[in-house]
Structures are given as structure tokens and as C-alpha cells.
Amino acid sequence: MVLFGTASLYTAFGAAVVSIVSFVLAQMRYGALTRAATKERPALQRAVDRFNLIGQAAVTVTMVALLICCGIIVFCLFVGDVSIAYVLAERSRNSTDLAWLYKLSGLWAGREGSLLFWAWLISTYNVAVFLATRRKRAQIDSMALLVAQVVLVAFLAVLVFSDSNMPFKPTPEKFFSASGELSAAASLNGMNALLEHWAMAVHPPTLFVGYAGMTVPFAYAIAALIMGDSSRVWVQRAQRFTMVAWIFLGIGIGLGAVWAYVVLGWGGYWGWDAVENASLLSWLVGVALIHTFTVYRQRGAFKRWAVMCSCLAFSFVIVGTFIARSGLVQSVHAFASDPVSLWLFGGLILLSVAAGLVGLAVRWKKFGPDTEGADDVENMLSREAAYYFNNVIMIMFTLVLTYMTVAQALPSWLPFGGESLGSSAYDALAHPLGIFYLLIMAFGPMMGWGRTDLKSFLREARVPAACALVLFALLMAYYLTNLLPAYNAMIVSGSKAANKMLEQGPSWYYNGLAVLGLLTASLLFFNSLFKLMRTVRAYARAKGLNPVAAIPRAFWNRPATLGGFVAHVSLGIILVGLIGSSMFVTEKTAYLPYDQATDSARESFTIQEYELRFKGSSVTPDAEAHKVVYETRFDVYKNGKLVGEAKPQVELNQITQAQKLNAHVLSFPDEDLFVVYRGVNADGDLSMDVRVNPLVQLVWWGFGLLILGGILAVAGRRGPRGRQGGGALGEGASREGDDATPETPATPASPAASAAPAAEDAGATADASSARA
């Protein structure tokens, strides 16, 4: 297995190098083709096609060889072949119904396997790129594949030339006895028990799918710079891949939050850990990139933003890898440090950013807007301003978040240098900035291009604003009866959690920010919902359909617009959940007197209106998994009424003596009761940590709706059916479909005209790309 795996890995590396050489030769011939006389062009075109075909074949060989590498490791994990050192270190001995999933997750559980899996995903995206463009292939596609293969070679070089990252190192002979059996010491190796949870098993591969996908917009952006092609073609090619990558990044982040919530036992889902932040960086830049692509595609503006955001999205993927694998910062999630990863990934970060900056400097005029002044923000109350501030906020927050995350590794003479910043520092920045950003998002889609006509804006906003005020009143009633009393009770308790609340600012600021957030969430929810409904209604009117019957067809033909509005609605829901579950948590940590002889407790545990009455405990050994499960059971009463049973656990690994806390969560529509059992103290008392997390269900439901909005934006039809727009490469195909009904005219006769929101209700049919075509 070591031999087969090593041979396949070297085959992949060699094929990737061959593809790069082939695409370079194809590009050279293509350059000669553009300058050649008419009679020389057929021969040069054949040479271009031949070298591109060789390159594409080598891309496929690379993907297949890496798939074989992954398959070998998975096979060994399932059959228990420990001849590969990585398999021995990351094997799972779980015997539950999900044992197959934990065995499979061994592929990406460690550094070597995760890098191999990531490399295979990049190669798979590269194959998908040339398959997706096979019917209307252009030289820019081959150039993008060239760039993507260069990135892949960098990843493969880490595996091939770094002994610490090589996934097919043989298990040392000293780990085996004379009979070939594992020694007692070697048998202790295996997957960390904390990783054996369904959410954590799926969390890394979904993140890696997103990380790998961000290579595609980067590759197309660099290809566009190299070829001097500022048309919409590269955005059309990259946009769907970007959305898919962003969706998977979001799913990965969400699954990590679920795992942290129920496994780590600290009561929350986001702790601003360095590796948690690393996964967030490229997602944030992806938000800016997706919105920038929309402006590029519809109005031929923000082209430089699009190129730079593509480079930054990829570079922050590498920054996340750098943080997790370099040993630069300390984290409970980080891999062991590796000097090769440190230098190679550090170099990739610098090169990816430098490529964008240098390329834009050279092609600055070429990547200017299609219409003079389209990149300018002439009026702060305009859609351009909303998009502009969307980009600025996302990029600046990402840069600041990165600095804060790596601050502990910086020299002490820099601000926060050498300090490991706690969650309070991040919350102090994220809470007000996030609310301000979502406030812009609430009103941005209702503004016009160039300048917003106040009368039209007020006419469009009055109904959703009235609905938002009703929702805000309901939220304020909940705030005054539940959230504010919880805050006051926590401050009076003087606990560590109370001190963290006070670190965020005085009471008037803390609660004022929460109230502003609830108002923002109400406006965002109804403004986005009404925009969604009006867009569907305009589509139905234009097509002569019943509004209800038109919904699926509208989503099919206007996926990006309607999927975007669904995502915006979800963010309003998430914001309410975040305010409740991160700002107004009630926490109580205490010891419960326990009599081991009678397995009883003399007192009950109370928090808010909940009472936990001890029922009993159990100790369950699992010899096969080398663990012991300690479980306590409580009847849970709310206002004197039995509402459920809580069974928190402590799992003790008998080999490593590591503990895993399995929290028990009782979910109610408006809050969660989060119960953690941490063992016993010297006196034999039960150590309990119980929290009431208000509105946390809205975080999960809103997150699911956000992902659904992204999926809807990807799943619909793109490009006109049965015909291509103007231009040899079909630039007119940038519209979402021949049934599209855009919100505003692409090139208004005057600033006032651009503001008229009634255009969508009138069934306007022109958009930026089709109008120019």
C-alpha cells in the first residue's frame, strides 16, 4: 500500500507538471496565432488545440491519480491495514452505527491526509472547469486551468518534498512485534475521540470543498489579467463555482458550530478561536466577491474590485491553512507545526496577492468600467454606495480579524503584539460592525443606481417598514420580559460571564446595541421579503402567470436575484438569534451535593425558571473503544411542570485519560437549556454547568435558510435558452435567463431614472449585459 500510494502521488505530481507545460505551450501558440497572417492561422490553431488537449488529459490523469491515493488510505482505514503510518495515527476504533463515517473521516483527520484530500478536490474542480466549458471553450479557460494547476503543484510539492507531510510513510518496524502484530504502545495510536461526532466528521470535508473552490475565481481572475480580457466571460465562468465554494464554506462553518455546541461543552457555538477565525476569513471575502460579481456582470463596473476580491478570497484560504498548519498561533484545533508548510503557504499568500496587485497595475485602464464613472459613488444614497460599503466593510473586517488572530505571534512593539485576544475583544468589534453592515444590506436593494429618488424609495419602503415596526414591537416585548431581566440578573451575580458582559461596555451601550440590532433585523427581514415578493410578482405579470404558480419558474429563471433575497431574509433571522444567544445567555456553575452510597442528591439545581432534579447515574465501560461513559440523569421542570429529561455525560478515554463532555440540550421554541456534567470534586459533589441560551434556534434555522438561498442561487438556469448573446464568446449570456426581469434598467437616461423601483413591477426586460449586446 505504501508503494502504490507513493507511486500514485508521484504520478499525480508528474501529470500536473505536464499539464502546466502543455498549457504554457498552448498559450505561446495562441499568442502567435493572434499575430499571424491568415494563411498561417489554421496550423497554429491546430497546435493550440493539440497542446490544450494534452493539458486537459494531464489534468484528468492528475485527478484520477489523487483519487487512487485517497482510495488507498480509505481502504486501509476500513480494513485495518496499518502498514501506513498515517492510517495507524488516524484510525477510528468506534463501534457505533456511525463507525463507517468515522473510519472514512480518518482521511482528513490529520495534516497529511487533509492536504492530500484538499489537493484531490482542487484537481476535481479543474476537471469540472474544462468539462463545464467544453461546448464554448475559449483560450481564457486553458489559461485559468494553467493557473489552477500551478496552485495544485504547490500543494503536491508540500506532500512530495516534505517528509512530515508525506501521507504514505511506512509504519516503523519498531511498532510491530516479531509476529507482525502491533505492539502495546503502537496500539494506543488512533483518532482523537473528540472528532468522533457526525458534525465534526462532515465539517472538514465541506470546508475543504469550499477552500478548493476558491481556486477557480482566482485562476480566472489571473487568467483575465494575463490575457487582458476584461469582458464578462471570466466572471460568467467563475461565478457558479464561487457560489458553490461559498455555500460549502458556510455549511462547514455551521457544522463546526454544531460540533462545538454539543461536544466541547462550553455552552456556545463560536469562541473566536484562531482556527475558527481562519475558516471565516475566506467566507467573508466571498460575500464581497459574490456581490462584486453581480455588479460586474450586470453593469460592467467594479471590475478591479472583482479581480482583487478573487485574489484575496484565495489568499485568505491559504491564510487559514497557514494559521492551522504552521504552528504560528496556538489553537485547540491546530495541527502540529511544520516548517515546510510555514514557508510554502506563506509564499502562496504573498504571491497570490502580489499577482493581483501587479496585474491590476499593468492592466489598470483595461479593467476600468464599461461606462465612464460607473465605479464612482456619486451619491451615498445609491446602490453603488451600498455595494461599495459592502466590499469595504467585508475586506476591512477580514484584515482586522486576521491581524487580531495572529497578534499573539507578532512582536510586542506592535499593537496587541504577543497577546492572545479573548472573545470579548472580537465581540466588541463584531457586534456594532455586523449590525451596521446588515443595516446597509437592509436598504441597499431598495436604492437606485446613481441616485435614489426619495419619493420612489419611500413609496416602496412604507409597507415593509410598517410590517418591520410590528415585528420590532414583538421583539421588544420579548426583550423587556426575557432578555433584559436575564442581563440584569447576570450582572448582579458577579460571575465571570457577567464580567465578560461588562467588558463590552456600560449597560446603556450593551442594551442599546441589542435594541438597534433587533430593529435592523426587523427591517432586513421585511425589506428583503417584500423585494422577493415584488420580484416574483413582476415576473408573473410580465409572463401573464398567477403569482403563486410563477414562483418556481421565477426562481429557475432569476436564481441569483431571488436566491440572494432568500439569503438576506435569513440574515435577519440569524441576527435575532445571535443577539439572544450571544449577548443574553444566563449561566450558572455550581456543585450539587451527591451521596454516592445511595446515588442521590440532597438538592436540586435551579436556573431561571428551570429546576433540575437528580434521578440517578450510571457508569458504562466500553472495552472495545477503551472508554468509560459516566452519565447523570435529571428530570427537568419549568415553572413546576415536567418538560423533559437531561442526560449529560463524561466520556473518559482509558488510554489517553482525555475527557469528552457530551452536553445534553433541551430545545424549546424560544431557548435552549444547555446542561453539562463535568465530573465530581474532591468531596464527591457533582460539578454542573448549566446555561439558558435564548433564541439560539433562530441561528440554526436562519443558517439553514441562508444555505438554501445560496443553493437556489446556484441551481437555476443561467444564460439565454437556445441562443447566445452578442460577442463571439457569448457575453450576452451573463443574464440569468431569457425570462429575466431585472429590477432596474442597465443604462438609465438620467440619475433620477435609475432610481425608479417601479421598473421591476412594470416587467422591465433589459439588463446590463443584454442591453450592451
Side-chain angles (χ1 to χ4, degrees):
M1 290 301 174
V2 170
L3 177 62
F4 291 155
T6 303
S8 297
L9 185 58
Y10 275 94
T11 299
F13 183 78
V17 172
V18 169
S19 70
I20 291 172
V21 173
S22 299
F23 288 133
V24 168
L25 293 174
Q27 186 60 30
M28 292 172 63
R29 297 297 188 275
Y30 181 78
L33 174 64
T34 60
R35 300 186 299 270
T38 303
K39 63 179 181 179
E40 299 173 345
R41 290 183 178 180
L44 287 171
Q45 185 63 59
R46 286 193 296 273
V48 170
D49 294 341
R50 182 169 59 253
F51 284 122
N52 280 336
L53 186 61
I54 294 172
Q56 292 159 10
V59 168
T60 305
V61 171
T62 305
M63 187 272 289
V64 173
L66 289 173
L67 178 60
I68 292 173
C69 291
C70 295
I72 288 172
I73 289 181
V74 170
F75 175 79
C76 291
L77 286 167
F78 272 84
V79 302
D81 184 338
V82 293
S83 59
I84 299 174
Y86 177 80
V87 172
L88 176 62
E90 302 301 337
R91 62 187 178 140
S92 171
R93 292 185 290 270
N94 191 283
S95 58
T96 66
D97 293 339
L98 289 178
W100 67 269
L101 179 60
Y102 303 141
K103 291 180 187 296
L104 176 64
S105 66
L107 173 61
W108 49 77
R111 184 178 64 224
E112 303 96 309
S114 63
L115 287 173
L116 173 63
F117 181 66
W118 192 340
W120 173 69
L121 287 172
I122 294 176
S123 70
T124 303
Y125 270 108
N126 293 349
V127 170
V129 165
F130 82 73
L131 289 178
T133 58
R134 66 189 183 279
R135 293 182 180 177
K136 48 181 180 179
R137 187 164 293 137
Q139 190 57 30
I140 194 171
D141 300 312
S142 296
M143 178 58 73
L145 282 173
L146 167 60
V147 176
Q149 286 294 97
V150 169
V151 173
L152 179 57
V153 164
F155 273 80
L156 293 177
V158 172
L159 297 171
V160 171
F161 299 116
S162 169
D163 183 67
S164 60
N165 289 316
M166 176 48 132
F168 295 106
K169 288 185 295 185
T171 302
E173 291 184 11
K174 64 180 181 180
F175 282 21
F176 298 95
S177 65
S179 61
E181 299 294 326
L182 278 175
S183 65
S187 64
L188 301 180
N189 286 274
M191 181 182 292
N192 188 328
L194 286 175
L195 303 181
E196 293 182 341
H197 183 271
W198 70 267
M200 178 47 67
V202 184
H203 159 70
T206 51
L207 275 182
F208 292 149
V209 172
Y211 287 159
M214 285 300 176
T215 305
V216 177
F218 168 73
Y220 269 107
I222 298 301
L225 288 174
I226 293 173
M227 300 187 68
D229 184 359
S230 63
S231 70
R232 294 170 178 78
V233 173
W234 76 271
V235 173
Q236 294 165 14
R237 300 287 205 268
Q239 189 169 28
R240 189 169 296 212
F241 287 102
T242 304
M243 279 298 304
V244 169
W246 184 81
I247 289 169
F248 273 96
L249 280 175
I251 293 173
I253 292 170
L255 289 173
V258 170
W259 171 76
Y261 190 58
V262 299
V263 172
L264 294 184
W266 61 282
Y269 45 81
W270 192 264
W272 296 106
D273 174 83
V275 176
E276 291 176 358
N277 293 350
S279 66
L280 184 62
L281 300 177
S282 51
W283 188 88
L284 291 172
V285 181
V287 174
L289 178 59
I290 290 168
H291 286 84
T292 302
F293 274 175
T294 299
V295 182
Y296 196 133
R297 182 172 53 83
Q298 290 186 356
R299 293 180 57 80
F302 281 22
K303 294 184 177 183
R304 296 161 187 150
W305 268 109
V307 170
M308 206 61 229
C309 282
S310 298
C311 295
L312 288 175
F314 173 75
S315 68
F316 278 111
V317 165
I318 307 303
V319 167
T321 308
F322 185 80
I323 290 172
R325 289 170 170 79
S326 64
L328 187 67
V329 297
Q330 299 301 311
S331 165
V332 296
H333 306 287
F335 294 95
S337 61
D338 172 58
V340 175
S341 298
L342 175 66
W343 288 104
L344 190 135
F345 288 124
L348 268 179
I349 295 168
L350 295 176
L351 287 174
S352 58
V353 176
L357 292 173
V358 173
L360 280 178
V362 174
R363 304 287 193 184
W364 185 259
K365 291 185 178 180
K366 187 72 175 177
F367 280 80
D370 288 352
T371 306
E372 179 103 17
D375 279 354
D376 299 334
V377 179
E378 298 177 359
N379 192 295
M380 297 302 291
L381 296 179
S382 65
R383 199 173 298 190
E384 287 93 340
Y387 276 109
Y388 177 79
F389 282 110
N390 170 82
N391 289 354
V392 170
I393 292 173
M394 286 293 100
I395 298 301
M396 292 305 299
F397 180 58
T398 304
L399 292 173
V400 172
L401 181 59
T402 303
Y403 181 88
M404 294 172 68
T405 302
V406 302
Q408 58 184 277
L410 299 178
S412 58
W413 52 268
L414 289 172
F416 306 112
E419 298 182 29
S420 182
L421 299 176
S423 59
S424 297
Y426 292 99
D427 288 339
L429 172 68
H431 288 172
L433 188 62
I435 291 172
F436 177 66
Y437 174 77
L438 293 180
L439 191 61
I440 294 175
M441 184 177 288
F443 292 107
M446 303 178 72
M447 296 179 182
W449 296 109
R451 180 171 60 85
T452 299
D453 179 73
L454 185 58
K455 290 183 178 179
S456 299
F457 176 82
L458 293 176
R459 184 173 61 250
E460 184 177 10
R462 63 173 180 245
V463 176
C467 294
L469 288 176
V470 173
L471 176 59
F472 176 62
L474 295 175
L475 291 174
M476 281 302 297
Y478 182 84
Y479 165 80
L480 292 172
T481 56
N482 290 271
L483 301 184
L484 184 58
Y487 172 83
N488 292 332
M490 283 298 297
I491 297 300
V492 170
S493 72
S495 64
K496 290 183 178 180
N499 292 333
K500 286 187 177 181
M501 289 180 171
L502 292 173
E503 288 175 2
Q504 302 299 308
S507 175
W508 65 266
Y509 172 77
Y510 192 90
N511 287 279
L513 198 62
V515 171
L516 178 60
L518 295 176
L519 176 60
T520 299
S522 303
L523 292 169
L524 177 59
F525 179 85
F526 274 109
N527 285 352
S528 302
L529 183 61
F530 272 75
K531 287 293 292 184
L532 173 66
M533 294 167 58
R534 285 168 175 165
T535 304
V536 171
R537 186 180 63 188
Y539 178 88
R541 190 176 298 168
K543 296 298 176 183
L545 300 172
N546 178 281
V548 176
I551 291 175
R553 188 171 171 183
F555 271 97
W556 176 250
N557 287 288
R558 299 212 60 198
T561 299
L562 296 179
F565 287 140
V566 171
H568 286 194
V569 168
S570 73
L571 289 173
I573 298 172
I574 291 173
L575 179 56
V576 176
L578 289 176
I579 290 171
S581 61
S582 68
M583 297 180 69
F584 295 96
V585 175
T586 300
E587 178 183 5
K588 182 177 179 181
T589 302
Y591 289 105
L592 191 63
Y594 172 70
D595 186 341
Q596 184 175 0
T598 60
D599 191 25
S600 61
R602 295 188 301 274
E603 303 173 5
S604 58
F605 190 102
T606 59
I607 179 172
Q608 286 192 5
E609 66 270 31
Y610 293 98
E611 180 185 5
L612 280 69
R613 299 177 187 175
F614 183 80
K615 286 180 61 178
S617 63
S618 62
V619 180
T620 308
D622 186 342
E624 186 176 353
H626 304 287
K627 68 180 181 182
V628 179
V629 178
Y630 300 86
E631 181 180 272
T632 56
R633 298 183 299 278
F634 297 87
D635 279 335
V636 179
Y637 292 82
K638 184 176 184 180
N639 295 323
K641 181 181 179 181
L642 181 66
V643 293
E645 183 183 29
K647 298 185 288 186
Q649 300 174 338
V650 175
E651 287 187 16
L652 177 66
N653 188 306
Q654 293 177 301
I655 297 174
T656 64
Q657 294 300 300
Q659 288 188 354
K660 175 184 176 184
L661 304 177
N662 293 328
H664 192 105
V665 182
L666 273 73
S667 295
F668 303 94
D670 63 331
E671 62 193 14
D672 277 3
L673 180 68
F674 189 90
V675 184
V676 177
Y677 166 54
R678 298 185 178 276
V680 297
N681 63 3
D683 298 326
D685 299 331
L686 305 180
S687 176
M688 302 298 298
D689 184 359
V690 183
R691 301 181 182 216
V692 178
N693 294 329
L695 303 176
V696 69
Q697 291 298 315
L698 294 181
V699 175
W700 310 126
W701 285 102
F703 171 76
L705 188 60
L706 175 65
I707 298 303
L708 175 62
I711 292 173
L712 290 172
V714 170
R717 180 164 61 88
R718 304 271 175 161
R721 181 179 299 152
R723 61 185 175 88
Q724 288 187 347
L729 296 177
E731 287 188 29
S734 64
R735 62 189 295 185
E736 292 178 32
D738 56 0
D739 290 332
T741 38
E743 298 171 29
T744 55
T747 50
S750 67
S754 71
E760 65 180 11
D761 293 326
T765 56
D767 70 358
S769 56
S770 61
R772 291 189 182 89

